[in-house]
Every structure is written in C-alpha cells, then in structure tokens.
Amino acid sequence: METRSAKKKRLLKTENETETGEDWISDLPDAVLHHILFLLPIKSIAQTSVLSKRWRSIWSSFPDLDFTTTTNSVGHFSSTIIKYSSTRKRVHSPLAQGMDFIIPVLALRDKNSDLRILRFCAQLSFSRLNSLIRCAVRRNVQELDIEVATDDYFNLPRCVTTCESLRVFKLKSRYPGFRLPPLSIMKSGFQSLHTLSLSLVILYQQSSLVDLFTESSFLFSRS
Amino acid sequence: MSSSLEKNMLILRSSDGEEFIVPEVVAVMSKAIKNMVEDECASNTIPVPNVDANILAMVIEFCKKHDESEAEAASDLKTFDSEFVNRGQEALYDLITAANFRDVKELLDALCQNVAEMIKGKSVHHIRIQFLGYQLFEILTSNFIWNIWCDRDFD
C-alpha cells in the first residue's frame, strides 16, 4: 500500500528525470569539478557553494584562488593608485573594501586542503598582506601572484623565502615598494622556485639584486 | 613484433569487449596508456576498463583528429573541439570520466571548457534546475534566505 506522499514523490521523481535529467555533474570527481570551476570567475565559483553539501566541499577545497577575476578590474585599480600616490593620503576606494573578502575566503577553507594558486590585486595594509601571505604559505601554496599598494614600505615576510612548496612567486608593488629580507636568508631560501618576478624592490643596505642571483644556488639550476 | 605496421599499432579493448586498432601515437595521447607502453607492461592488447565501445570510439576520434591536425590551423581544431563536445549530458559525463581516468589532457580541457560555458552566467536557481534536477518549488523552499544572500553582489 502506497501512501499519498510516497506516490507524489515517485511521480515527481519520474517527472524530474524526464524533464531535467539526473544530477550527473555532482558525481564527477573533485579534481574535474575544480578544473571546470577554474574556468569561471571566482564569484561564480563561490556561488556554486550553495548548490549542495557536495558543492560546498568543492568550494572549500578549491585550490586555485584567482581574485583578479572579480568585477574590480585592474584598470580601476590603477586609477585609484594614481590618485593615492599623488595626494599621499589614504583613499577609501571601492577596491579596498571589495578585497576584504579574501581573508574570510581563506579562513573558511577546508583546513586540510592545500592551495595551488593565490592571485590577487589589492590595496591593503601590511598586516593584512602579511597574514594573507602567511596563510597561503601555511597551505603549501605553489604559485603566489600578488599586486599590491600599501600605506608604507613593507618587508617581504621571511616565510615566503622558506616556503618549500612555492614554485612561482610574483610580487608587484604599485606603491610605495618593499624590502627584501637579508641576503643570507634569501640565499638559502626559495628551494623549489622556478619563476621569480619582483617589482619596485627597495634595496636597503643591500648592494644589488645581482648578488642574490650570483650567490644563490636556485636560479642556476632552475631558470 | 613481426612487421613495422604491428609495431606502431596498438589494440584497445573496451569494457564490453570490442577491439580498436589504433596507431601508437594516437593511443599515447592518454597518459595512462603512455605510462603502460613506456613501462612495457602493455602487451599488444590494452584493456580499457570502465569505458564502453561507444565512448572509446569517440575518444579515439578526438585523439586522431588532434594527432593529424597538428599542422592545421588552430581555429579549425577549435571548431572541431566545440562541435565534438556538444553532446547530451549522459555522453558528456561518460566522456569526462573516461578522459579523466585515462588522463587525456586535451579532451578533458575541451570538455571542462564546455561545461564551464554551460554554467557561466547562470544563477544558482538555473544551475539547480538544469544540472541538479531540482524542481522549482524545491528551490523556493530550500535555503531561501541563503540564496538571496549569495545572489547579491560582493561589491
């Protein structure tokens, strides 16, 4: 004997299958779903996290976080920076507020899943930048691609040089620039690095970057 | 290995027992098969479990086209790819799992691109109806507040 609700469910189910097909996409392996989602802007990826529990876990373990695909375009970014550097005053740009969600996104990630790529373009304080970089290094990040404007000069966090998983490191400071750690630390660091790109480095009590390239071992074998 | 023809050909056997004779250069576009060939653990016939004849034929068609058209214009290949992946959802699923399991990078890229295009620009409701088989009233009753929150813009 079939109850009324069971009958309703059964009918709905058959109707469902004929009209819309079954949920094949959620059955794909995580790696494939990550591959598919990587082709979308990060906002769309985040939105898929509400689809189901399965998709929530896909999002929380998503390894390639590219925040440069959000609506705050680079063009917008550069115009605010010009304004910022000419007046030398803090400008509360929409960009600065818009990028506040990077830290929560990282904090809400699955604790056991590693990051592969972290890419963002933002105007933020050094302490925030520092905590972002530290967080990424803790998650064994492989590619860091950062473009920033900060209030003041900052020192590159040392954890970046000692990060063993880091393969690609790009840091571009729009304003005002950053200092590198002492040469002795740089020399022994960057063990897995094969691409390095730094922009607006301030050489402070350091003769030149050439020393880094001649004295360290990593670039000989990898570049 | 009696003749050069045999040397450069491999036999792939699908899960339902059908056999395909494929040039080695085409077969090794699958990294999984390439590894088997390199490790010399493949005899003349390579079983391809979990992939039926229908899907295997499609995968071979794709790999052959990509192998032949290396010199051809990239735009031609792109048109071929977009037409190739334009299939029903069931075939798409089987192709994706086959490409993923056998590690055929070009095919997986093209398929993922296709699925991403299907998702792109769609609202959460739309994805639920189109892909997850939800009914409209289910959507209206489940996670209603959460959806409203997530559909708003971040900026």
Side-chain angles (χ1 to χ4, degrees), chain A residues 88 126 150-155 173 175-179 200 202:
Chain A
R88 298 217 167 194
F126 171 60
T150 42
D151 302 344
D152 205 349
Y153 306 106
F154 66 91
N155 298 322
S173 170
Y175 175 85
F178 62 94
R179 293 190 200 103
L200 215 60
I202 292 160

Side-chain angles (χ1 to χ4, degrees), chain A residues 112-132:
Chain A
N112 300 318
S113 57
D114 283 350
L115 265 180
R116 202 156 45 206
I117 300 174
L118 179 64
R119 187 177 296 148
F120 62 88
C121 175
Q123 179 177 337
L124 73 184
S125 67
F126 171 60
S127 59
R128 270 166 179 266
L129 178 66
N130 198 4
S131 70
L132 274 174

